[in-house]
């Protein structure tokens, strides 16, 4: 009896504090299925770029240009050539060092020049949407649409209010000139209904990473305790009444809202516990696999060596008439090229002098893995045409088909490598634990559901509606509880 009394009082007290958060989380979760937080994507940036010119510099020329600018000593994780805007179509060179800020330079003949962030440059950005600038604000602090602490280094921002009547706003970094954010009035309204309350994206909290993290942890811990005590109460009440009335189970409460809260809270109790707990765990991810024994960063993101790229870029340009972006990257020691701008993204083997589409063989993939993990391990290979339990993405952005190479290491490494892209993903024990801590239980990232989007939608909607009814009736009951406390207080002498 004492345990149940403690559970009831704890649930009632936590409900008075947390019920409004649960209502907001479940309702905003429904919105988030369809309306994400606004952002300026790489696909949008590509669509707003002009086609690259007919004459591309050779890799030797690029290396010479970098030497002339004193950039040849940078350890680059990525390098790309991309078209400028429609107003200024001169090609640009974008460098991402392994450490430090992104660098974007414009070609001026055979040399490079730094971008000049003047009014003409900002008008050039506005022209991407076929509009002009109505007003420019200089933002000295992070705000609601660029709330992330990592962006403080790029302050101040230029906020461009564009013509057109849609409340179109564009944020531009004064440091690099890149577009940080772009949104319309409607997109911002949906964010207030979805992403902002769901992820606690309020500027004064989100701009301080550690504060935001602890707010999520504390709210998640209180919410988990509330859900656990509620589920215990639901089960115990049904069992108690069931013993007295034979096999018939029913709620002991007389008011409908109490009955609904009891019924839906019990049915969806375990899922509610899982959701709020994994929401907490989303900010305390299990650490990703890092080990000195296997320097897996050598496979992707290794410093680029331009001398390894042998493909004739002029011939490649002829093969890609709509080319807007050319990216240099590698898989292990294999140099690769990625072209974007047409209907499809294409990938090329840069070891070939003439443009040749990439098709890594099983032996090549395994050979690069053996350079990292050693030849003493056993490598089990499977060719996957569908997602499995851990290589999975509901938006289907992860490429298929892939080779899954399972290695008998202590951490049970598995590498998923696309033979047509030369992109890989490492999954080891840490990543498997992390998947269960968040994406599987919180986003329902299960292979059978992801393979059937309509089924995922039905299941997610059903669970969210159960949670919404439970939390709304709980908020209503909180109002009743607070009224009783107020009346009791007023009756005291």
């Amino acid at each position: 009896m004492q345990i149940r009394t403690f559970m009831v009082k704890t649930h009632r007290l936590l409900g008075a504090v947390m019920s409004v958060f649960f209502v907001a989380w479940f309702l905003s979760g429904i919105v988030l299925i369809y309306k994400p937080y606004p952002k300026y994507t790489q696909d949008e940036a590509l669509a707003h770029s002009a086609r690259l010119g007919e004459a591309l510099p050779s890799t030797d020329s690029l290396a010479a240009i970098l030497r002339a600018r004193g950039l040849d000593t940078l350890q680059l994780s990525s390098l790309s050539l991309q078209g400028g805007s429609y107003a200024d179509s001169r090609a640009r060179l974008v460098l991402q060092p392994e450490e430090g800020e992104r660098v974007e330079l414009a070609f001026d003949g055979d040399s490079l020049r730094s971008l000049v962030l003047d009014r003409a440059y900002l008008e050039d950005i506005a022209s991407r949407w076929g509009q002009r600038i109505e007003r420019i604000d200089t933002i000295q602090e992070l705000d609601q649409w660029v709330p992330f602490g990592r962006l403080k280094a790029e302050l101040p921002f230029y906020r461009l209010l564009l013509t057109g009547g849609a409340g179109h706003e564009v944020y531009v970094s004064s440091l690099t000139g890149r577009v940080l954010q772009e949104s319309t009035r409607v997109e911002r309204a949906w964010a207030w209904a979805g992403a902002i309350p769901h992820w606690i994206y309020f500027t004064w909290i989100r701009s301080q990473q550690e504060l935001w993290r602890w707010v999520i942890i504390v709210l998640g811990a209180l919410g988990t305790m509330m859900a656990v005590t509620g589920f215990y109460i639901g089960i115990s009440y049904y069992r108690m009444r069931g013993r007295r009335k034979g096999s018939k189970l029913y709620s002991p409460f007389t008011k409908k809202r109490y009955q609904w809260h009891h019924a839906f809270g019990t049915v969806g109790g375990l899922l509610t516990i899982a959701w709020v707990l994994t929401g907490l765990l989303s900010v305390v991810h299990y650490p990703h696999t890092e080990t000195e024994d296997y320097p897996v960063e050598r496979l992707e993101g290794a410093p680029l060596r331009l001398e390894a790229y042998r493909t004739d870029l002029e011939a490649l340009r002829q093969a890609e008439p709509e080319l807007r972006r050319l990216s240099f990257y590698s898989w292990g020691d294999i140099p690769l090229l990625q072209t974007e701008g047409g209907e499809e993204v294409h990938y090329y083997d840069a070891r070939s002098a003439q443009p040749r589409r990439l098709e890594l063989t099983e032996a090549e993939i395994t050979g690069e893995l053996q350079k990292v993990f050693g030849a003493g391990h056993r490598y089990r290979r499977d060719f996957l045409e569908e997602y499995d339990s851990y290589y999975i993405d509901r938006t289907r952005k992860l490429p298929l088909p892939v080779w899954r190479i399972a290695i008998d290491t202590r951490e049970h490494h598995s590498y998923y490598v696309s033979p047509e892209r030369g992109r890989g993903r490492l999954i080891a024990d840490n990543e498997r634990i992390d998947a269960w801590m968040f994406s599987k239980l919180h986003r329902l990232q299960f292979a059978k559901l992801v393979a059937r989007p309509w089924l995922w939608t039905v299941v997610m909607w059903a669970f969210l509606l159960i949670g919404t009814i439970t939390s709304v009736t709980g908020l209503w009951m909180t109002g009743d509880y607070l009224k009783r406390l107020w009346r009791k207080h007023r009756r005291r002498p």
Side-chain angles (χ1 to χ4, degrees), residues 456-473:
W456 182 93
T457 302
V458 169
V459 172
M460 180 62 83
W461 263 92
F463 288 162
L464 285 173
L465 287 176
I466 290 172
T468 300
I469 293 171
T470 304
S471 56
V472 168
T473 53

Side-chain angles (χ1 to χ4, degrees), residues 67-84:
R67 281 196 300 273
R69 294 279 302 192
L71 300 172
D72 56 317
T73 58
L74 286 178
Q75 296 289 305
L76 299 176
S77 61
S78 69
L79 179 149
S80 64
L81 283 169
Q82 63 184 48

Side-chain angles (χ1 to χ4, degrees), residues 110-278:
D110 293 329
S111 62
L112 292 171
R113 62 174 176 83
S114 300
L115 296 172
V116 179
L117 271 67
D118 55 10
R119 175 79 185 207
Y121 180 84
L122 299 178
E123 286 284 4
D124 184 29
I125 289 177
S127 69
R128 299 179 182 183
W129 292 273
Q131 299 179 32
R132 296 188 61 80
I133 298 175
E134 187 175 290
R135 189 180 76 243
I136 300 177
D137 299 325
T138 301
I139 308 300
Q140 301 290 347
E141 297 180 353
L142 302 177
D143 73 4
Q144 186 59 63
W145 308 110
V146 279
F148 309 107
R150 67 177 184 274
L151 296 178
K152 287 182 180 180
E154 301 198 44
L155 285 167
F157 308 139
Y158 300 125
R159 181 173 61 195
L160 315 181
L161 177 61
L162 307 186
T163 58
H168 209 145
E169 294 181 355
V170 179
Y171 287 74
V172 182
S173 166
S174 66
L175 181 66
T176 62
R178 67 188 179 108
V179 175
L180 303 174
Q181 176 63 288
E182 175 265 330
S183 64
T184 63
R185 188 180 297 112
V186 171
E187 289 173 333
R188 293 192 293 273
W190 278 116
W192 279 109
I196 293 173
H198 197 84
W199 296 334
I200 320 294
Y201 267 21
F202 302 102
T203 309
W204 67 276
I205 296 176
R206 189 62 184 89
S207 60
Q208 303 175 68
Q209 176 70 18
E210 198 60 22
L211 172 63
W212 175 74
R213 180 172 170 271
W214 277 105
V215 166
I216 298 296
I217 290 173
V218 171
L219 291 178
L222 294 176
T224 301
M225 187 63 180
M226 189 189 83
V228 168
T229 55
F231 185 63
Y232 175 87
I233 293 167
I235 295 295
S236 65
Y237 266 65
Y238 272 122
R239 285 181 176 175
M240 178 188 69
R241 299 297 291 180
R243 286 195 296 268
R244 293 183 181 180
K245 299 295 182 180
S247 60
K248 184 179 179 181
L249 296 178
Y250 65 92
S251 176
F253 302 105
T254 56
K255 294 180 179 179
K256 283 293 183 184
R257 58 181 175 272
Y258 286 62
Q259 292 176 1
W260 282 35
H261 185 75
H262 187 195
F264 283 97
T266 304
V267 170
L270 289 177
L271 183 67
T272 302
I273 294 168
W275 259 341
V276 69
L277 179 60
T278 52

Side-chain angles (χ1 to χ4, degrees), residues 10 95 124 144 171 220 253 278 280 333 360 373 442 448:
T10 301
L95 313 172
D124 184 29
Q144 186 59 63
Y171 287 74
F253 302 105
T278 52
L280 179 162
D333 292 330
L360 292 175
F373 293 94
H442 201 83
K448 291 186 182 298

Side-chain angles (χ1 to χ4, degrees), residues 369 373-374 377-380 405-415:
L369 290 171
F373 293 94
H377 292 287
R378 188 164 54 112
Y379 295 80
R380 191 179 74 249
I405 315 293
I407 312 166
D408 64 342
T409 60
R410 185 174 60 255
E411 297 87 0
H412 305 100
H413 290 84
S414 289
Y415 239 106

